[in-house]
């Protein structure tokens, strides 16, 4: 059974707006009593169903409209995630580097490594180089025209960057599959920012 | 130069003070004052600590007013500042409280760092606002200054009494110079040159880093013998610029 099938079946069974008991529903839909109870709970959480009395259910006006529109109830979130009760962000190298970027003016990858690395990373420079490339492509950072000097004879120096789009305290996350950065700070529950 | 954060004696003292702060007796005494001359590594240390802990970092401005301070704090927290001051204050408390709670669940220290605090250490209105925020949610607040913060705070006993820890950043010792050069310089350096770096830099981290860059530039072009680069090898080369006169300091043949 696909996720969301149970509440959708229940929504359709009560589409006429009448009040039905558990026994009546048990007789007319191909669901167990436990599934009917769970499905009713899911619809109540969405504001589509009301419990008139114990074991007796009726669709709300919103529920009737949803049934008329033929809405499919999915198993996803039923309200926007506003980050109020979110768990602490993972303490990753990229998160720490993002913290450092937010409080610095111009910086090189070396500056970020110094501030963010804690000694257990395998290749912090390589990691941050890839991350900064994505941030530059997505318009979060700009590359400054003048590089920082290096002490090595043939070195071209180090690229310097500046953060121009500080969207919030949570570091944007690179998502390989969508080739974009997912920014938790944007919108109600984050947005994808594509890297052209 | 290697990208490594070096734990000098100043850093160790700062971290010890934060540990001591967590074991304080009076819960409301959660202010820390970090003081020291410019170029001793205060900002670098604090930036490293803020990055590692996800704390809030603000840089005080000379013309800061309570309202400007609050707007900047809410800006860093990415909260749209309401118009009324009392609403800004409530919003800042709510946001900081949530972040602190989140950090506590994650067993991290969380605090508010105000750099260049000399600018605000004589302004009672801002100090009282900081004290209120720090008191109400017991938020460790670190005031970083350049030598005047402690003296100025003595004028406000209600604030000074809440300073639980005072950390003074001192000039680097020979051990600090050895640690800095050993960790960051890509060229081995002999003891006589290390001694001269300490003498020429007068123990200021900023000058020591300048010296390391020049030593490295020379050492990568002229490979030193076993035992590292000596004063004799670098004789006549510019090591750094004097902080007092601005003139270049050359490495002598012998120290």
């Amino acid at each position: 059974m696909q996720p969301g099938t149970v509440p959708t079946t229940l929504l359709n069974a009560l589409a006429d707006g009448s009040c039905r008991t558990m026994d009546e529903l048990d007789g007319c839909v191909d669901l167990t009593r436990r599934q009917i109870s769970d499905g009713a709970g899911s619809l109540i959480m969405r504001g589509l169903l009301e419990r008139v009395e114990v074991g007796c259910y009726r669709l709300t006006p919103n529920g009737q409209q949803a049934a008329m529109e033929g809405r499919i109830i999915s198993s996803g979130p039923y309200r926007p995630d506003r980050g109020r009760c979110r768990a602490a962000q993972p303490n990753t190298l990229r998160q720490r580097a993002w913290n450092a970027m937010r409080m610095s003016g111009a910086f090189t990858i070396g500056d970020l490594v110094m501030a963010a690395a804690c000694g257990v990373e395998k290749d912090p420079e390589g990691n941050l180089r890839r991350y900064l490339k994505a941030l530059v492509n997505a318009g979060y950072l700009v590359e400054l025209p003048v590089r920082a000097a290096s002490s090595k004879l043939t070195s071209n120096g180090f690229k310097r960057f500046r953060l121009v789009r500080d969207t919030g305290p949570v570091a944007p996350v690179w998502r390989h599959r969508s080739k974009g950065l997912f920014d938790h700070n944007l919108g109600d529950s984050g947005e994808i920012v594509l890297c052209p | 130069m290697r990208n490594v954060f070096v734990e000098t004696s100043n850093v160790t003292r700062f971290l010890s003070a934060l540990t001591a702060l967590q074991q304080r007796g009076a819960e409301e005494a959660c202010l820390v004052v970090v003081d020291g001359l410019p170029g001793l590594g205060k900002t670098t240390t604090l930036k490293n600590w803020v990055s590692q802990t996800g704390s809030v970092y603000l840089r005080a401005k000379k013309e800061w007013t309570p309202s400007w301070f609050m707007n900047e704090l809410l800006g860093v927290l990415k909260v749209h500042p309401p118009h009324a001051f009392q609403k800004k204050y409530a919003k800042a408390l709510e946001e900081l409280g949530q972040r602190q709670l989140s950090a506590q669940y994650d067993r991290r220290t969380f605090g508010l760092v105000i750099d260049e605090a000399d600018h605000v250490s004589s302004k009672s209105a801002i100090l009282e606002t900081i004290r209120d925020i720090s008191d109400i949610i017991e938020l460790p607040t670190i005031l970083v200054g350049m030598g005047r913060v402690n003296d100025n705070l003595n004028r406000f006993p209600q604030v000074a009494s809440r300073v639980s820890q005072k950390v003074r950043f001192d000039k680097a010792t020979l051990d600090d110079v050895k640690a800095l050069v050993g960790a960051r310089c890509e060229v081995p350096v002999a003891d006589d040159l290390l001694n001269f770096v300490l003498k020429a830099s007068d123990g200021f981290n900023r000058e020591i880093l300048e010296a390391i860059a020049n030593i490295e530039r020379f050492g990568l072009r002229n490979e030193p013998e076993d035992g590292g680069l000596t004063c004799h090898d670098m004789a006549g080369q510019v090591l750094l610029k004097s902080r007092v006169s601005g003139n270049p300091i050359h490495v002598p043949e012998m120290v």
Side-chain angles (χ1 to χ4, degrees):
Chain A
M1 191 178 283
Q2 290 291 317
T5 308
V6 172
T8 310
T9 310
L10 208 56
L11 186 76
N12 294 331
L14 294 164
D16 56 0
S18 61
C19 183
R20 293 200 177 181
T21 63
M22 177 67 92
D23 292 334
E24 287 171 339
L25 287 169
D26 193 16
C28 72
V29 294
D30 189 19
L31 298 171
T32 64
R33 292 174 79 88
R34 166 57 63 190
Q35 283 175 324
I36 293 170
S37 173
D38 289 347
S42 170
L43 291 176
I44 289 168
M45 293 289 273
R46 289 173 165 78
L48 303 177
L49 186 76
E50 59 187 351
R51 191 181 282 119
V52 181
E53 59 184 50
V54 177
C56 185
Y57 304 104
R58 182 173 61 197
L59 288 187
T60 60
N62 281 347
Q64 288 176 34
Q65 194 177 348
M68 253 171 41
E69 289 168 0
R71 196 190 301 172
I72 308 288
I73 309 295
S74 65
S75 60
Y78 60 89
R79 63 179 174 202
D81 171 17
R82 296 188 190 281
R84 293 285 172 212
C85 306
R86 191 178 290 147
Q89 290 301 318
N91 185 20
T92 59
L93 174 75
R94 290 182 178 188
Q95 177 63 54
R96 293 193 298 270
W98 177 255
N99 294 341
M101 284 180 230
R102 291 188 72 214
M103 63 182 160
S104 306
F107 48 84
T108 62
I109 290 177
D111 296 337
L112 294 183
V113 170
M114 242 179 70
C118 56
V120 295
E121 299 87 359
K122 217 187 249 179
D123 177 20
E125 280 92 354
N127 187 333
L128 290 182
R129 193 173 298 119
R130 290 189 295 276
Y131 185 50
L132 263 59
K133 190 177 170 191
L135 287 175
V136 169
N137 287 342
Y140 284 84
L141 297 181
V142 286
E143 235 179 81
L144 298 182
V146 180
R147 290 174 170 233
S150 164
S151 53
K152 297 205 169 99
L153 188 61
T154 53
S155 169
N156 292 326
F158 303 107
K159 279 183 184 174
R160 296 172 79 229
F161 302 89
R162 188 187 298 281
L163 184 66
V164 288
R165 195 172 170 214
D166 177 5
T167 51
V170 185
V173 182
W174 168 251
R175 287 197 173 163
H176 187 71
R177 199 179 294 168
S178 54
K179 299 279 182 236
L181 286 161
F182 187 80
D183 195 335
H184 289 275
N185 306 302
L186 301 176
D188 279 332
S189 53
E191 281 176 15
I192 283 276
V193 181
L194 291 174
C195 302
Chain B
M1 210 183 298
R2 293 191 199 100
N3 302 315
V4 186
F5 180 75
V6 184
E7 272 203 27
T8 58
S9 53
N10 285 327
V11 179
T12 311
R13 265 204 313 283
F14 170 70
L15 295 176
S16 309
L18 290 182
T19 310
L21 179 76
Q22 294 189 332
Q23 292 155 4
R24 66 191 181 275
E27 290 299 328
E28 72 279 7
C30 42
L31 287 179
V32 178
V33 174
V34 177
D35 237 352
L37 294 170
L40 289 176
K42 296 182 300 297
T43 302
T44 309
T45 305
L46 264 300
K47 279 192 174 175
N48 181 274
W49 184 77
V50 169
S51 305
Q52 299 286 342
T53 58
S55 298
V56 177
Y57 175 89
L58 287 178
R59 191 190 160 105
K61 315 286 181 303
K62 194 171 186 313
E63 301 296 328
W64 251 13
T65 58
S67 185
W68 183 359
F69 159 64
M70 207 52 94
N71 282 344
E72 209 155 300
L73 177 60
L74 290 172
V76 171
L77 295 170
K78 280 290 155 192
V79 177
H80 181 69
H83 183 66
F85 186 82
Q86 58 267 41
K87 285 186 185 165
K88 285 178 191 168
Y89 181 78
K91 204 80 192 161
L93 275 187
E94 185 192 336
E95 276 296 317
L96 286 170
Q98 275 180 11
R99 305 247 172 128
Q100 193 184 20
L101 200 64
S102 183
Q104 281 169 353
Y105 282 133
D106 208 22
R107 302 250 179 266
R108 271 187 295 120
T109 320
F110 176 82
L112 170 65
V113 176
I114 299 178
D115 203 357
E116 310 292 349
D118 299 81
H119 295 314
V120 295
S121 59
S122 56
K123 294 181 180 174
S124 68
I126 296 179
L127 280 179
E128 291 291 349
T129 310
I130 292 170
R131 178 181 78 116
D132 287 340
I133 291 176
S134 155
D135 261 15
I136 291 172
I137 53 175
E138 291 166 10
L139 179 73
T141 305
I142 301 167
L143 302 173
V144 189
M146 289 181 291
R148 295 204 314 269
V149 179
N150 269 325
D151 297 337
N152 288 344
L153 284 188
N154 287 335
R155 288 167 50 205
F156 308 101
Q158 72 279 23
V159 179
S161 67
R162 280 167 169 80
V163 177
S164 155
Q165 301 290 322
K166 291 178 183 176
V167 185
R168 179 148 197 91
F169 270 54
D170 293 323
K171 291 180 179 177
T173 60
L174 185 59
D175 286 340
D176 290 334
V177 176
K178 274 184 185 166
L180 271 169
V181 174
R184 301 209 58 186
C185 187
E186 293 181 33
V187 175
V189 179
D191 284 347
D192 63 335
L193 188 54
L194 285 175
N195 280 315
F196 185 68
V197 169
L198 176 64
K199 188 180 164 198
S201 66
D202 198 18
F204 285 102
N205 286 18
R206 198 169 288 158
E207 274 76 5
I208 294 171
L209 291 181
E210 191 188 337
I212 292 174
N214 285 327
I215 289 172
E216 211 175 78
R217 195 166 293 125
F218 181 84
L220 289 172
R221 287 159 180 74
N222 308 279
E223 206 172 312
E225 292 172 6
D226 292 344
L229 211 59
T230 60
C231 282
H232 179 73
D233 297 334
M234 271 195 78
Q237 298 291 323
V238 173
L239 187 67
L240 51 95
K241 276 192 177 165
S242 163
R243 179 176 280 221
V244 182
S245 63
N247 294 331
I249 297 177
H250 297 269
V251 181
E253 187 111 357
M254 297 283 272
V255 179

